[in-house]
Amino acid sequence: MLLPVFCFSLAIGLGTRYAEAAVISTLDDFVDKSLDFVVIGAGAGGGVIANRLTENPNVSVLLIEAGGSNEGVLDVAAPGLQNFLLNSAWDWNFTSTPQIALNNRTLAVPRGFILGGTTSINQMIYTRGSSEDYDLWANITDDEGWSWDNLQKYIRKNEQFTPPVDHHNTTGQFDPNVHSFDGIVSVSLQGFPNGIDNRTIQTTSELSEEFPFNLDMNSGFQLGIGWVQATIGDGTRSSSATSYLGPSFISRPNLYVLLNTRVLRVLKTDHDHQQSDFRSVEFTQDAGVTTHTITASKELVIAAGTFMTPHILMHSGIGDSEGLKSLGIQTVHHLPSVGKNLTEQPIVRNKWLVNSTDTLETIARNDTLLAEVTEEWERRRMGPIVDPPLSFIGWLRLPENSSIFQQVPDPAAGPNTSHYELIITNGALSHPAPATGNFLTFSTSPSSPTSRGTISLNSSNPLEYPLIDFNFFSTAFDRFVVREAYRNTKKFLAAQSWDGYILAPPTNATTDDELDEYISQNAADQHHPVGTAAMSSKSATYGVVDPDLRVKGLVGLRIVDASVFPRLPAAHTQVPTYIVAERAADLIKDFWGI
Ligand SMILES: Cc1cc2nc3c(=O)[nH]c(=O)nc-3n(C[C@H](O)[C@H](O)[C@H](O)COP(=O)(O)OP(=O)(O)OC[C@H]3O[C@@H](n4cnc5c(N)ncnc54)[C@H](O)[C@@H]3O)c2cc1C
């Protein structure tokens, strides 16, 4: 039976831009039609591929997305309401396995379950990483196409830098020379000032040796503290759904979009009589009661993200034969690296109690005030919720003579790549907000972590969630760098600019042991997982995809999402994913001559 597809998004009166239903398809729309490509997952990677391939009206694409529409979802559209999306109907709501180094705590692991994927629920921070990160990718894959210089074209295709919504003078806040003004995803500086902005800027002058100001962390040289750029335009989230899959693109007659449709497996394509040919996809729209199969004439592109891409592969019999056998899944293609190399940045959100009421929680715990600022946003796209609640990020390195480098080599991609990140937030990021107190949060995380985890299966049922084991802090380096990052935030806040502002630290821990315990109690995942279907050079015996993102040893199957990163760049991961996907679209077009 063919089921209609329903949109179940929460419709809120937001004006025509958000009130119209998305253009979606039903199975009947393409029965008897030939589909050139089927793309699985409409997030950062999948949105780009669906858009770029359908630029050619002769190419047909079916985009399959497990979640529903983004249309009319206020918390998705208004940047400052992002916190409400966690643990909501638009979140897959994964949970990690107990993390040994975190006192066996399990962690909430959000991912977007919605058109736009995680770009519809993320915090919108726009960071590319350091040029050395991409040069290392080129080195690992033996493909110069992945180098920083050669990716510039794709960075520019993706970005459309726009003025902030309050139209303040942005001179000295970014470098226009390193940005693109005619790409597709809107990017802007903050549109509403935060109470801590002047103090932060003053600290970069006062302590310029240790915490230098960086005019633009997205120039390829990331080190220092700079103003946040975010994927926001006109005070509104710019996601893969609103940009690459925006109204003028999603309505293309050659693009079909199936929402609320879960892919279970990819299958060998029988009519081709080739063992290695995978162009068919099995999916369900009713939680497995009925299943359907569709075959692409050219390629399947899996873009289901770092957790679900290896999950789909393994359920299809593509993975480590030993692990598959133990679950009774027949191995169709032995590829041991599937699900390995999971790389993620753990984060500790260090909350200082402050002597101010001009912070996030003042609004977050007052329903009347929250309703007022929401109304202001709906009427004029102005006010405090035009931004996420942070205006500065720092990318910093450990001193060269740090004792840890006597034990382990420097894991950063090069001497201009950070070891840790500081995210400076005007309030506590937790949701719901703490019942009392006002806070300044300095989140600390290793930007070049060395721990590696896994994605594995716990049953042969593709509707069950994967096992996500980050294996956090399994290396001495990761613990060392997070301890030192915390100590350095204390130095930052000891600057005169903060006199009278800080009332109490997040912890009284000072020794390594005490800090380790504090980290174990408080670390979480930063939501930047990558690497579980990593690319490697054509000749490498490890890895899942080749540098053209084709699954090694198979035909017809490509992967385009954050799972293919061979290493985590010192960055938040949406922009690197967009960049990968923009290049992937060209690789696919070149391959098929379309
Ligand atoms: C809370 C949060 C905050 C973040 N903040 C930032 C930030 O500020 N800046 C930044 O750069 N990055 C941020 N990120 C990370 C960033 O959004 C992701 O790295 C990026 O979206 C990854 O893109 P992707 O294409 O790999 O996966 P996704 O964007 O997750 O897309 C995968 C898509 O596949 C769909 N899918 C999965 N399985 C199936 C299936 N079986 N069948 C059909 N569809 C399926 C999913 O529903 C989803 O739509 C954040 C992430 C989270 C969770």
Side-chain angles (χ1 to χ4, degrees), residues 108-381:
V109 182
R111 290 279 103 185
F113 183 74
I114 184 169
L115 196 72
T118 309
T119 69
S120 287
I121 70 155
N122 71 13
Q123 220 175 32
M124 296 154 279
I125 295 170
Y126 178 95
T127 57
R128 300 172 183 166
S130 89
S131 58
E132 294 165 344
D133 282 318
Y134 296 91
D135 292 344
L136 184 56
W137 283 16
N139 206 346
I140 293 170
T141 58
D142 218 357
D143 178 348
E144 272 306 302
W146 292 114
S147 71
W148 171 257
D149 285 348
N150 289 328
L151 287 171
Q152 289 307 306
K153 168 178 162 192
Y154 300 112
I155 291 174
R156 287 175 184 270
K157 281 183 91 167
N158 170 250
E159 181 191 34
Q160 183 177 47
F161 211 88
T162 59
V165 76
D166 63 357
H167 291 279
H168 72 268
N169 182 354
T170 54
T171 311
Q173 295 191 348
F174 82 117
D175 178 359
N177 295 316
V178 301
H179 290 279
S180 157
F181 296 84
D182 56 6
I184 193 159
V185 174
S186 301
V187 178
S188 66
L189 290 154
Q190 74 178 103
F192 190 84
N194 273 311
I196 55 170
D197 294 349
N198 287 340
R199 292 177 196 273
T200 309
I201 284 289
Q202 276 170 30
T203 310
T204 63
S205 307
E206 217 182 296
L207 304 177
S208 57
E209 283 271 301
E210 219 164 342
F211 303 102
F213 177 68
N214 183 339
L215 176 63
D216 205 313
M217 64 185 76
N218 287 314
S219 65
F221 178 80
Q222 65 170 182
L223 298 177
I225 300 217
W227 291 90
V228 163
Q229 299 162 16
T231 46
I232 293 173
D234 190 25
T236 306
R237 175 190 295 272
S238 181
S239 65
S240 155
T242 63
S243 59
Y244 288 96
L245 300 171
S248 59
F249 303 121
I250 205 168
S251 58
R252 284 175 179 157
N254 52 337
L255 173 59
Y256 303 95
V257 181
L258 273 185
L259 298 180
N260 306 318
T261 304
R262 179 94 168 253
V263 167
L264 304 175
R265 296 183 296 161
V266 294
L267 306 169
K268 274 196 295 182
T269 310
D270 292 331
H271 62 77
D272 238 278
H273 303 301
Q274 266 196 46
Q275 283 292 310
S276 56
D277 195 332
F278 273 76
R279 294 175 218 242
S280 299
V281 57
E282 181 188 56
F283 60 88
T284 181
Q285 296 183 318
D286 53 11
V289 178
T290 51
T291 58
H292 312 275
T293 304
I294 278 182
T295 299
S297 62
K298 292 189 167 61
E299 282 188 23
L300 289 184
V301 179
I302 308 185
T306 297
F307 303 133
M308 292 307 277
T309 287
H311 181 264
I312 292 170
L313 289 174
M314 289 186 277
H315 279 291
S316 311
I318 303 169
D320 188 347
S321 55
E322 277 301 302
L324 296 179
K325 197 165 126 201
S326 66
L327 291 166
I329 298 173
Q330 197 195 340
T331 301
V332 186
H333 183 57
H334 175 59
L335 205 50
S337 297
V338 173
K340 310 280 172 29
N341 190 44
L342 171 62
T343 314
E344 162 68 308
Q345 295 149 343
I347 188 168
V348 184
R349 299 190 174 93
N350 308 289
K351 286 190 309 222
W352 269 265
L353 188 68
V354 299
N355 183 16
S356 165
T357 52
D358 181 14
T359 70
L360 176 64
E361 39 282 313
T362 297
I363 297 175
R365 60 179 167 235
N366 180 334
D367 288 347
T368 313
L369 210 49
L370 183 60
E372 277 172 23
V373 298
T374 303
E375 200 199 324
E376 184 183 13
W377 182 85
E378 289 183 299
R379 261 190 306 112
R380 308 192 299 136
R381 295 293 188 272

